């Protein structure tokens, strides 16, 4: 009864702690998950960003000795921009996914979990607690599903009945034996919209993601992206929301009550060309507090070049030519070559030709050759 009362107190305090939903679950191992994770790895579907030790993701006692229960928390984030700036010829814009709007959600979740820990510690001074966010050991979606927060949709996102899938998840392992909530059950039914709409076919089955084809993952890599994926990236600078945007369970949902998570439209839908000349200091000032900055500025600048190529923005050719001539990063020069091949025109052909005479790096020479070939065959 004592633990039921504390659970009730936590549920009542949640809004004041800045938490939108709390669920409780037993700390049993996630045995059913183990085979899923092993298959996922065997098929090469992992992103490489996840906890490498599968046992740590499956067994809560690898993170906290003698765990009794798990607490899953969710906080809701916005899905719509108020008065978004327009993208137009000569002033095209890229877009950051919603997960990079506002302050980095890792910090916001950590803040809420710290407050929750303090709330519990005040009432149970000898409680042991281990909180984790995203990159923590446990599979946060499995914890959330078991704790009744929401079900894992075919798009791999946890979908809550109240907030849709526009939620960030965090969890805590504790030695307090809270009475568990009822696990969530699948409510996708016959719908397959997310799988059908994914631009790259990265959702290879219900709840099965091939990360290497997922645009969200690809935008966070640092190398040269393959042609097919560059075309499909469109103007995405970081992440991809398509499989959540099309989900009928998210229809009309937009959450504006968490102050730190609200976006600055100019930052999350920025002009592309100014991004290309941004130095480290300015990048840190502009994007340092956003989740999109964790891989540094190179992936975002590379994606901005891809977006200019996809917009076929002729006004970008001079700046792309300069990058091709002067940027010290081969991935940036190679991507600039690809973009100029996409944009076309005399000026682009000339710049590609000049670069071929001086370029030394194989990956750049390869993109230059491909781009020149495309442009010359279009030209004849
Ligand atoms: Fe497909 Fe984009 Fe969803 Fe990845 S995030 S599965 S690319 S729709
Ligand atoms: Fe489920 Fe349909 Fe949403 Fe996909 S789009 S997660 S199938 S409800």
């Amino acid at each position: 009864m004592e633990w039921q009362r504390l659970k009730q107190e936590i549920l009542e305090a949640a809004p004041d702690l800045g938490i939108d939903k709390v669920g409780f679950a037993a700390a049993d191992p996630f045995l059913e998950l183990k085979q899923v994770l092993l298959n996922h790895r065997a098929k090469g579907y992992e992103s490489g960003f996840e906890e490498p030790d599968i046992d740590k993701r499956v067994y809560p006692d690898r993170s906290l000795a003698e765990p009794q229960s798990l607490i899953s928390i969710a906080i809701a984030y916005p899905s719509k921009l108020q008065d978004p700036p327009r993208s137009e010829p000569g002033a095209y814009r890229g877009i950051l996914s919603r997960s990079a709007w506002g302050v980095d959600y890792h910090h916001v979740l950590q803040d809420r979990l710290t407050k929750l820990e303090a709330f519990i510690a005040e009432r149970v001074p000898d409680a042991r607690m281990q909180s984790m966010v995203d990159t923590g050991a446990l599979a946060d979606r499995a914890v959330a599903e078991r704790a009744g927060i929401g079900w894992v949709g075919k798009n791999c996102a946890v979908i809550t009945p109240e907030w849709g899938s526009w939620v960030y998840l965090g969890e805590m392992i504790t030695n307090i034996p809270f009475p568990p909530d009822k696990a969530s059950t699948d409510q996708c039914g016959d719908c397959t919209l997310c799988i059908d709409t994914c631009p790259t076919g990265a959702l290879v089955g219900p709840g099965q993601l091939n990360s290497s084809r997922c645009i969200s993952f690809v935008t966070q890599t640092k190398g040269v992206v393959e042609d097919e994926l560059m075309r499909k990236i469109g103007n995405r600078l970081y992440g991809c929301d398509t499989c959540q945007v099309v989900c009928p369970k998210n229809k009309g949902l937009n959450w504006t009550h968490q102050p730190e998570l609200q976006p600055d439209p100019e930052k999350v839908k920025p002009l592309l060309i100014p991004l290309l000349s941004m130095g480290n200091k300015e990048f840190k000032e502009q994007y340092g507090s956003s989740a999109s900055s964790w891989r540094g500025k190179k992936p975002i600048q590379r994606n901005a070049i891809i977006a200019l190529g996809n917009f076929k923005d002729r006004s970008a050719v001079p700046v792309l030519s300069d990058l091709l001539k002067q940027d010290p990063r081969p991935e940036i020069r190679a991507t600039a070559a690809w973009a100029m091949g996409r944009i076309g025109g005399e000026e682009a052909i000339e710049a590609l030709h000049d670069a071929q005479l001086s370029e030394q790096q194989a990956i750049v020479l390869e993109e230059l050759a491909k781009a020149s070939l495309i442009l010359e065959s279009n030209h004849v």
Side-chain angles (χ1 to χ4, degrees), residues 25 191 210:
C191 175
N210 177 358

Side-chain angles (χ1 to χ4, degrees), residues 230 234 237 272 275-276 298-311 316 320 323 327 329 331-340 342-343:
M230 284 203 267
L237 298 173
L272 291 168
L275 274 180
L276 302 182
K298 187 165 77 173
I300 291 187
Q301 289 183 322
R302 180 204 60 196
N303 300 338
I305 297 169
I306 295 172
L308 288 164
N310 285 329
F311 279 124
L320 293 174
L323 289 177
D327 198 282
R329 300 161 296 179
E331 301 81 5
I332 293 292
R333 299 200 301 280
T335 311
W338 175 86
M340 287 210 273
R342 229 33 202 124
I343 296 167

Side-chain angles (χ1 to χ4, degrees), residues 155 194 197-203 209 213-217 236 239-244:
N155 61 3
C194 50
T197 322
C198 171
T200 59
L203 289 167
L209 180 74
R213 288 195 60 78
C214 174
I215 291 173
S216 188
F217 165 73
R236 297 175 183 88
C240 167
D241 290 325
T242 301
C243 55
Q244 292 193 83

Side-chain angles (χ1 to χ4, degrees), residues 278-297:
M278 203 174 253
N280 287 338
K281 191 163 168 261
E282 197 187 343
F283 179 77
K284 221 170 163 196
E285 277 163 16
Q286 290 281 324
Y287 292 100
S289 63
S290 154
S292 63
S293 69
W294 80 286
R295 300 280 285 166
K297 75 178 159 84

Side-chain angles (χ1 to χ4, degrees), residues 5 21 55 88 104 112-113 125 142 146 167 242 271 277:
R5 199 162 53 238
K21 192 168 181 184
D55 277 352
E88 43 200 38
D104 186 337
R112 305 304 191 263
L113 285 163
R146 186 187 282 175
V167 285
T242 301
L271 287 167
S277 55

Side-chain angles (χ1 to χ4, degrees), residues 3-4 24 42 52-53 78 81 92 136 152 164 179 182 204 220 252 259 353 355:
W3 303 125
Q4 176 60 42
F24 298 79
D53 182 347
L81 277 184
Y92 285 115
V152 180
K182 210 164 151 259
V204 288
Q220 298 173 58
H353 186 252

